[in-house]
Amino acid sequence: MKKVVLSAAALAAALALPGSPARAQTNEITIGITIVTTGPAAALGIPERNALEFVPKEIAGHAIKLTVLDDAGDPTTATTNARRFVTESKADIIMGSSNTPATIAVSNVANEAGIPHLGLAPFPITPERAKWSVALPQPIPIVGKALYDHMKAHNIKTVGFIGYSDSYGDLWFNDFKAQAVPMGMTMVDEERFARPDTSVTGQVLKLVAANPDAILVGASGTAAGLPQTELRDRGYKGLIYQTHGAASMDFIRIAGKAAEGVIMVSGPVMDPEDQPDEAQTKKPGLALDQAYEAKYGPNSRSQFAGHSYDAFLILDRVIPVALKTAKPGTPEFREAIRQALLTEREIAASQGVYNFTEKDRYGLDERSRILLTVKDGKYMLLK
């Protein structure tokens, strides 16, 4: 397990974890972050880690101490990391993880401990996870509706599905049944694959044999390029729809020519340049993309970098409110952050405008989505 500790003084400085059994109130705000920087889902977590270089080192005059751990996308490791944040770091806030299964695990720990949790992957926020958790990515029903509307406009009647054999794949499969089926579409074949798989030939052959009008891929990161490539190599000519989990330049790098013509839903951070000036997501999106690409190269922008970056735009709004009633390092401060998350409105960020409520733990609306396609190896806004 790789550990990186960041502080206001030096982002990458290695600092020892506190060893005392209880943390007294302090002027320092401690945030524990568990993300995926190794393994099959590293393409999700590495941009999230990189974006931490561009977030505030202090908020409202209080230094921010970040402890960043790698969980490799494994729920067991993510659980261990989250428990370390609780017992050793005495964290005021927990973030993570980068994929759905690990994020569920982190949420469970945060809600047991009573610590505000900002999830960096879409995940089901059940009643037992609802009090202390919010999610930064766009909720599946909002981004899914954009894809289904495009399908309906193009007279798509039959759809094949290939997605992860885990909770992320389930989210998309269930959303299709909930939204697209009532719109008149039928799922004619369902195929699944595991995140570490290196071949989906068998699944793709079944999809091609079913000959649907379109295929929906419920995957994320570089693995989303695997079925995209295989479908085109096997001669599938219909439309292929990719979820927001695939929205990064890695997808084009992996899929190559097979990426041409894909229909992909994304957060607005992938194309702030083409947003109208009045869009509240334009300024933060440009700020992140310009800083990110200045360091990591042209066209390196990523949907996932936006999640961790936006977490701090949200905290920049809610922490000053919480500080009016409590000090960092106390249960009262954690409760004040939880309350402020629910009372602050119209928090503009690169991926959307957040308005969390007791019932809506994603807090996003249609302003959080755009449709993209790939032409000549580049993403283009689909108008």
Side-chain angles (χ1 to χ4, degrees):
M1 177 175 62
K2 182 179 179 182
K3 181 178 77 173
V4 181
V5 181
L6 304 95
S7 71
L11 186 68
L15 301 175
L17 288 168
S20 58
R23 176 173 166 235
Q25 69 178 37
T26 174
N27 283 329
E28 190 174 60
I29 298 169
T30 300
I31 302 175
I33 306 176
T34 176
I35 50 178
V36 186
T37 56
T38 59
L44 312 181
I46 289 174
E48 291 171 347
R49 181 196 63 194
N50 292 345
L52 296 177
E53 299 179 41
F54 315 118
V55 303
K57 308 304 184 292
E58 66 174 42
I59 295 177
H62 291 255
I64 302 295
K65 177 184 177 182
L66 305 184
T67 301
V68 184
L69 301 179
D70 173 29
D71 58 46
D74 176 61
T76 300
T77 306
T79 298
T80 300
N81 290 349
R83 293 201 184 283
R84 286 187 64 182
F85 298 148
V86 175
T87 60
E88 297 181 27
S89 302
K90 307 300 179 186
D92 296 300
I93 299 155
I94 296 176
M95 295 183 192
S97 180
S98 309
N99 67 11
T100 298
T103 302
I104 292 172
V106 176
S107 178
N108 289 338
V109 174
N111 277 271
E112 289 172 5
I115 298 177
H117 166 234
L118 282 70
L120 303 180
F123 69 106
I125 304 181
T126 54
E128 62 270 20
R129 293 193 285 267
K131 182 174 181 179
W132 291 95
S133 287
V134 298
L136 275 293
Q138 300 82 355
I140 305 299
I142 285 180
V143 288
K145 184 62 161 52
L147 295 181
Y148 313 141
D149 285 343
H150 187 275
M151 292 179 186
K152 185 173 182 179
H154 288 77
N155 201 33
I156 301 297
K157 299 296 185 183
T158 58
V159 178
F161 177 81
I162 179 168
Y164 286 148
S165 53
D166 63 21
S167 46
Y168 185 79
D170 293 343
L171 285 171
W172 276 99
F173 177 76
N174 293 332
D175 188 68
F176 182 90
K177 291 192 297 183
Q179 292 201 83
V181 171
M183 294 170 67
M185 283 162 269
T186 301
M187 185 174 289
V188 296
D189 186 41
E190 175 200 355
E191 302 294 334
R192 298 296 187 106
F193 68 103
R195 291 174 184 259
D197 287 352
T198 58
S199 173
V200 291
T201 299
Q203 298 94 316
V204 164
L205 288 174
K206 292 178 183 178
L207 285 166
V208 173
N211 195 31
D213 297 330
I215 291 175
L216 173 64
V217 181
S220 60
T222 54
L226 183 62
Q228 181 81 23
T229 302
E230 191 74 17
L231 282 163
R232 293 308 188 206
D233 286 349
R234 297 291 171 174
Y236 181 71
K237 302 296 185 183
L239 291 176
I240 301 176
Y241 291 84
Q242 290 276 355
T243 74
H244 58 331
S248 73
M249 295 306 299
D250 284 324
F251 174 80
I252 296 177
R253 178 177 58 83
I254 295 296
K257 291 183 179 179
E260 295 288 310
V262 69
I263 309 298
M264 181 182 292
V265 68
S266 166
V269 72
M270 291 299 292
D271 187 21
E273 292 86 353
D274 289 323
Q275 295 174 38
D277 290 340
E278 64 271 18
Q280 291 174 265
T281 52
K282 183 167 187 171
K283 183 177 178 180
L286 286 172
L288 172 59
D289 288 348
Q290 289 168 1
Y292 199 96
E293 293 185 349
K295 177 154 190 177
Y296 293 102
N299 299 318
S300 59
R301 67 185 60 181
S302 167
Q303 163 110 353
F304 312 107
H307 298 329
S308 55
Y309 183 80
D310 287 356
F312 285 84
L313 293 179
I314 292 168
L315 293 179
D316 195 48
R317 283 281 297 274
V318 303
I319 284 176
V321 176
L323 287 168
K324 293 177 181 178
T325 58
K327 296 290 186 181
T330 65
E332 291 80 9
F333 183 62
R334 297 192 286 272
E335 171 63 19
I337 290 174
R338 188 187 75 81
Q339 292 287 350
L341 281 168
L342 302 177
T343 56
E344 288 299 291
R345 317 316 298 156
E346 293 289 286
I347 305 175
S350 73
Q351 291 280 57
V353 181
Y354 291 90
N355 291 282
F356 298 111
T357 68
E358 291 283 5
K359 294 184 178 180
D360 183 0
R361 311 306 288 189
Y362 282 81
L364 292 171
D365 55 25
E366 288 78 7
R367 291 174 289 181
S368 67
R369 69 188 190 191
I370 59 175
L371 284 179
L372 300 171
T373 189
V374 174
K375 184 177 180 181
D376 298 327
K378 296 180 181 179
Y379 283 115
M380 295 183 61
L381 189 65
L382 192 63
K383 300 179 179 180

